[in-house]
Amino acid sequence: MTDPVEHGPGRTAAAFQEVYGAVPAGVWAAPGRINLIGEHTDYNDGFVMPLALPHTTLAAAAPRADGVLRLHSGAVPGSVVELRVAELDPAAVGRAGGDRGGWAAYPAGVVWALKDAGLAVGGLDLHLDSTVPTGAGLSSSAALEVATAAALNELYGLGLDSRSIARLCQRAENAFVGVPCGIMDQTASACCTAGHALFLDTRDLRMRQVPFDPAAEGLRLLVIDTRVRHELGDGAYAQRRASCEAGARALGVRALRDVPYAHLNSVVAELADDPVTLRRVRHVVTEIRRVEEVVECLDAGAVRAIGPLLTAGHASCRDDFEISCPELDLAVEAATAAGALGARMTGGGFGGSAIALVAEAAVERVSTAVDRAFAAAGYRPPRLFPALPSEGARRLL
Ligand code: GLA
């Protein structure tokens, strides 16, 4: 991970020139994200509420006339992955000696998804730098994809809007990289705006930018990266998706989004003989409701009131959806015990990061309490930093 202070378009352009011997045609940025509330609701057609982080992936790029795709990452200096656009298929990166799940599959997958959608994309030289921590549940993959897509969109005059970019990047990740993710991360990276959380309906990508400025309320939203690596491709995520789909089938709805919160009691009765599906369904239905409640609070200017909703969301992720882990639980417990207004895991789960909403005056106390709790449990020291609601994808140079 590059130091955020040194990270910048000039540096990324210079790195491009060093690798490819020419100046790039431009430099684009796409951010990582945290999700304020609405976990594992996106593939159930539900609501989510992410916000973009200041941490970004920068893509320096130049088009090529010969249909060759050259990919280089600042994280793996010296090794250029070379592919032919015409030959890209979901196994191409593997054949080129790369790892199908490795970093190059993400930009290659984006080129493939654009081409597969009938868009006229040609060759490209690409250099990527990132300050988004990887494996931390902060959407480093979506940032890679969206930065690449933003570059291609302009260089090849594709005329894609930010929703289409998000959809194509999700397709790249689903069909090329092989991760069955929903649409939240790519949409957050493509569409978030500074000073806002994105209230997103994942059914039709209708969205509203909801003002969210914790600092103006004397608050801070802390990210607690447990540094337990999470892997979305490892089967547990797909299992949760399958349970949700089974629940929707059992209840006779298109997606769990169509189960009204007011019907929860009858759902509990209907699924009584399948306690696992019942818990998965209950998480999704209550979590969608919590997104609406958080939006109501923010619309009313009651930022502090979202704290208990965040903590209730964590309990639901932990107990009903079973996607937490001891380190995330400890982060949430230690933060709330030390006075955080609310805390929860964020992202796919099974490791990664938690967030905590904390009054400015309590930031020191909460941070120390989390550090101490991790040390006492024998866990690696967590990494804490503030989540400032930041700008989505954009061109920098
Ligand atoms: C990952 C996926 C998203 C979403 C979250 C859980 O980040 O990429 O689509 O499902 O997990 O909310």
Side-chain angles (χ1 to χ4, degrees):
M1 200 175 67
T2 322
D3 180 339
V5 178
E6 294 176 30
H7 186 64
R11 206 181 130 110
T12 295
F16 178 100
Q17 191 164 3
E18 212 166 288
V19 176
Y20 298 113
V23 291
V27 178
W28 289 260
R33 61 98 190 91
I34 57 110
N35 188 20
L36 194 56
I37 192 80
E39 225 59 88
H40 288 257
T41 50
D42 61 351
Y43 53 80
N44 292 295
D45 281 3
F47 300 137
V48 293
M49 202 165 194
L51 54 94
L53 291 172
H55 306 67
T56 53
T57 291
L58 300 190
R64 293 177 63 95
D66 60 0
V68 169
L69 179 59
R70 294 197 295 179
L71 308 169
H72 183 262
S73 162
V76 196
S79 123
V80 176
V81 175
E82 193 165 322
L83 303 160
R84 296 199 62 82
V85 174
E87 291 167 9
L88 285 176
D89 68 53
V93 176
R95 278 208 305 274
D99 159 14
R100 187 172 177 227
W103 70 271
Y106 296 89
V110 169
V111 177
W112 169 80
L114 296 175
K115 199 170 67 82
D116 199 57
L119 296 162
V121 282
L124 193 75
D125 282 342
L126 185 72
H127 168 78
L128 297 161
D129 282 323
S130 188
T131 58
V132 186
T134 54
L138 302 174
S139 294
S140 59
S141 322
L144 277 187
E145 293 154 5
V146 172
T148 304
L152 285 160
N153 188 33
E154 280 197 46
L155 293 176
Y156 281 99
L158 304 178
L160 297 168
D161 62 16
S162 55
R163 282 179 178 81
S164 309
I165 286 181
R167 282 205 177 91
L168 288 161
C169 289
Q170 182 202 17
R171 172 144 165 72
E173 188 151 345
N174 290 169
F176 195 93
V177 183
V179 176
C181 63
I183 189 73
M184 169 170 71
D185 304 346
Q186 293 79 7
T187 313
S189 188
C191 303
C192 279
T193 57
H196 297 90
L198 183 74
F199 178 32
L200 174 69
D201 183 339
T202 62
R203 172 158 273 170
D204 55 12
L205 296 197
R206 269 197 288 181
M207 57 181 74
R208 178 156 71 86
Q209 307 285 347
V210 179
F212 180 59
D213 183 4
E217 306 291 324
L219 302 173
R220 198 175 301 171
L221 190 64
L222 281 183
V223 178
I224 306 166
D225 174 5
T226 64
R227 300 168 78 199
V228 176
R229 251 193 86 77
H230 86 132
E231 266 300 339
L232 284 187
D234 74 355
Y237 184 91
Q239 260 176 29
R240 295 301 183 281
R241 271 196 90 138
S243 291
C244 290
E245 281 154 19
R249 271 196 305 278
L251 295 168
V253 290
R254 176 172 148 203
L256 291 182
R257 187 267 178 70
D258 299 309
V259 178
Y261 178 73
H263 292 184
L264 201 55
N265 285 342
S266 57
V267 166
V268 171
E270 224 171 310
L271 294 175
D273 57 354
D274 185 354
V276 172
T277 306
L278 165 59
R279 289 203 301 276
R280 305 297 185 251
V281 171
R282 187 166 56 198
H283 165 73
V284 173
V285 174
T286 59
E287 184 79 350
I288 290 172
R289 180 67 199 128
R290 279 185 287 274
V291 178
E292 293 175 314
E293 287 175 338
V294 164
V295 172
E296 283 160 22
C297 290
L298 295 183
D299 282 344
V303 181
R304 285 166 185 264
I306 74 172
L309 293 163
L310 303 186
T311 308
H314 184 76
S316 182
C317 286
R318 182 191 60 210
D319 302 335
D320 273 352
F321 220 61
E322 297 178 277
I323 50 170
S324 188
C325 67
E327 292 84 352
L328 286 169
D329 292 342
L330 185 63
V332 167
E333 278 155 30
T336 48
L341 299 166
R344 59 180 291 270
M345 53 153 282
T346 189
F350 309 106
S353 301
I355 51 171
L357 186 67
V358 183
E360 286 287 355
V363 167
E364 201 57 48
R365 191 171 70 233
V366 168
S367 306
T368 307
V370 172
D371 282 339
R372 287 209 177 123
F374 270 58
Y379 298 154
R380 292 176 73 192
R383 193 161 38 198
L384 275 70
F385 57 89
L388 305 171
S390 302
E391 193 63 30
R394 67 230 180 245
R395 184 174 189 159
L396 297 180
L397 264 187

